[in-house]
């Protein structure tokens, strides 16, 4: 079990267009006791965030229909979803991406390729900082 004060499995919404990545991250997160929901593009991600109110969102930036930057901005502007922590996943370890992630309101940032274990650690770090 993960260390958290929530008495149910926290739900992580993975917004990622690459199916292999979704499988890797979701398998790893379920292994560590999380519940997982998935979306393949930004529009679906926004919809699932609003309807499912996950405990945290993993947001790939390069995704179809609505890109990750725009999706984060829309979710952070909406009072219903503004409080959901979002971890951005960007393809390049560019300093400008890290700055932009902070500017648009992301709570965490991971540069791809990221180890599945690093994803789990970042998710746990943010959830624990929210519940303490
Ligand atoms: Mn992508």
């Amino acid at each position: 079990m993960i260390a958290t004060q929530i008495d149910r499995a926290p739900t992580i919404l993975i917004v990622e267009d690459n199916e292999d990545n979704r499988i890797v991250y979701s398998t790893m997160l379920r292994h560590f006791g999380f519940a997982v929901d998935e979306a393949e593009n930004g529009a679906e991600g926004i919809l699932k965030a609003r309807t499912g109110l996950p405990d945290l969102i993993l947001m790939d930036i390069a995704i179809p229909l609505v890109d990750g930057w725009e999706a984060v901005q829309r979710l952070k502007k909406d009072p219903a979803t503004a409080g959901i922590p979002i971890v951005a996943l960007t393809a390049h370890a560019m300093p400008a991406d890290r700055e932009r992630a902070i500017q648009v309101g992301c709570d965490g940032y991971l540069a791809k390729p990221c180890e599945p274990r690093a994803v789990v650690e970042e998710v746990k770090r943010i959830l624990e900082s929210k519940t303490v």
Side-chain angles (χ1 to χ4, degrees), residues 58-121:
L58 285 176
M59 180 72 74
D60 182 25
I61 293 305
I63 47 177
L65 300 184
V66 178
D67 76 21
W69 298 129
E70 177 67 23
V72 172
Q73 287 174 297
R74 290 195 202 173
L75 291 169
K76 290 295 185 181
K77 274 184 200 155
D78 182 345
T81 53
I84 303 171
I86 302 178
V87 177
L89 306 173
T90 78
H92 307 289
M94 300 289 287
D97 278 349
R98 182 179 290 273
E99 286 165 25
R100 189 163 182 195
I102 293 164
Q103 277 172 9
V104 300
C106 292
D107 302 86
Y109 167 93
L110 290 168
K112 290 176 159 188
C114 37
E115 290 278 325
R117 183 80 199 209
V119 173
V120 172
E121 289 303 317

